[in-house]
Amino acid sequence: NAGVTQTPKFRVLKTGQSMTLLCAQDMNHEYMYWYRQDPGMGLRLIHYSVGEGTTAKGEVPDGYNVSRLKKQNFLLGLESAAPSQTSVYFCASSGPYGYTFGSGTRLTVV
Amino acid sequence: DAKTTQPTSMDCAEGRAANLPCNHSTISGNEYVYWYRQIHSQGPQYIIHGLKNNETNEMASLIITEDRKSSTLILPHATLRDTAVYYCIVRGGLGGSQGNLIFGKGTKLSVKP
């Protein structure tokens, strides 16, 4: 089925470790996004991309980097994980009629 | 993007209509009203959107007041599976170039048997 796929679904990191979250979409969407969601909160935008090779900061970009080397993929990197980055991360892409979200990555930093 | 105001929580009896209100008094003329929902820990799911006319699809109806300062999402026959957090979001245009989706805290709808 067409949609947005996130990997991994779960991950536990130690403080200071690095990791990359992968988002892939097969809808040929130009726009892609990374959000984080903390307990009891709405989603907050971390970074987004308006096309291959572009990235831009969202509401809470500190501590994260992103890359969009291919149109269908949007990577979110944590260079040195901190406990404050424990969260659920959602990727999304948008086309003419709205956003499609992935199923999320639950990240715990201990 | 305009801000929206929604009640924190609502209850609805199974089989009855669920009416979820949203205030967006600072909405601009070219901004659309979007509704998404998030079922426990899943990614948000698109429900419906509208500009100024009422809209209906297989999931829900959207009623927008004539002055566009408020709207109501209607789930005509709520089921237990409709228990979720519902987000009302205002943004310009349809495509991604018209601004990002900004999520508030939404309304937690609990459908009870």
Side-chain angles (χ1 to χ4, degrees):
Chain A
N1 291 336
V4 176
T5 304
Q6 292 183 232
T7 53
K9 296 191 184 305
F10 302 93
R11 185 72 186 270
V12 178
L13 283 181
K14 293 183 179 179
T15 298
Q17 285 185 319
S18 63
M19 79 163 294
T20 300
L21 282 68
L22 172 64
C23 177
Q25 54 97 1
D26 59 5
M27 296 169 285
N28 203 35
H29 287 165
E30 290 290 339
Y31 294 79
M32 297 188 73
Y33 312 83
W34 275 107
Y35 289 85
R36 63 176 286 175
Q37 185 173 33
D38 300 312
M41 304 285 289
L43 281 71
R44 291 184 292 170
L45 184 65
I46 305 172
H47 285 281
Y48 64 100
S49 169
V50 301
E52 181 178 319
T54 75
T55 63
K57 294 180 179 180
E59 180 186 358
V60 288
D62 294 343
Y64 305 94
N65 57 76
V66 287
S67 64
R68 184 95 180 272
L69 298 179
K70 292 183 178 181
K71 186 177 183 178
Q72 63 267 33
N73 295 336
F74 195 29
L75 278 61
L76 177 71
L78 286 74
E79 290 187 350
S80 179
S84 61
Q85 294 178 304
T86 293
S87 191
V88 181
Y89 292 84
F90 289 100
C91 176
S93 67
S94 69
Y97 301 104
Y99 283 50
T100 301
F101 284 83
S103 57
T105 296
R106 188 174 296 275
L107 175 66
T108 302
V109 183
V110 298
Chain B
D1 290 333
K3 294 180 74 173
T4 63
T5 304
Q6 299 177 251
T8 302
S9 64
M10 294 181 63
D11 290 341
C12 178
E14 187 178 19
R16 303 297 292 269
N19 298 290
L20 289 86
C22 179
N23 287 322
H24 30 79
S25 58
T26 60
I27 192 170
S28 299
N30 66 340
E31 289 183 313
Y32 286 72
V33 179
Y34 284 82
W35 283 84
Y36 283 77
R37 73 180 182 183
Q38 189 174 24
I39 297 172
H40 183 60
S41 298
Q42 298 178 20
Q45 176 190 23
Y46 166 82
I47 301 173
I48 199 167
H49 74 276
L51 182 62
K52 54 183 177 181
N53 297 320
N54 297 339
E55 302 288 345
T56 295
N57 63 20
E58 64 278 5
M59 290 182 68
S61 295
L62 174 61
I63 308 298
I64 302 174
T65 58
E66 191 169 344
D67 64 7
R68 302 209 325 121
K69 293 185 176 181
S70 65
S71 60
T72 301
L73 178 74
I74 301 172
L75 308 177
H77 305 287
T79 70
L80 298 179
R81 287 192 299 270
D82 291 322
T83 292
V85 177
Y86 288 76
Y87 297 99
C88 170
I89 302 169
V90 171
R91 68 186 284 264
L94 293 173
S97 64
Q98 301 303 318
N100 299 317
L101 278 183
I102 307 297
F103 287 82
K105 294 188 177 180
T107 295
K108 180 170 175 53
L109 176 68
S110 298
V111 180
K112 300 182 183 299

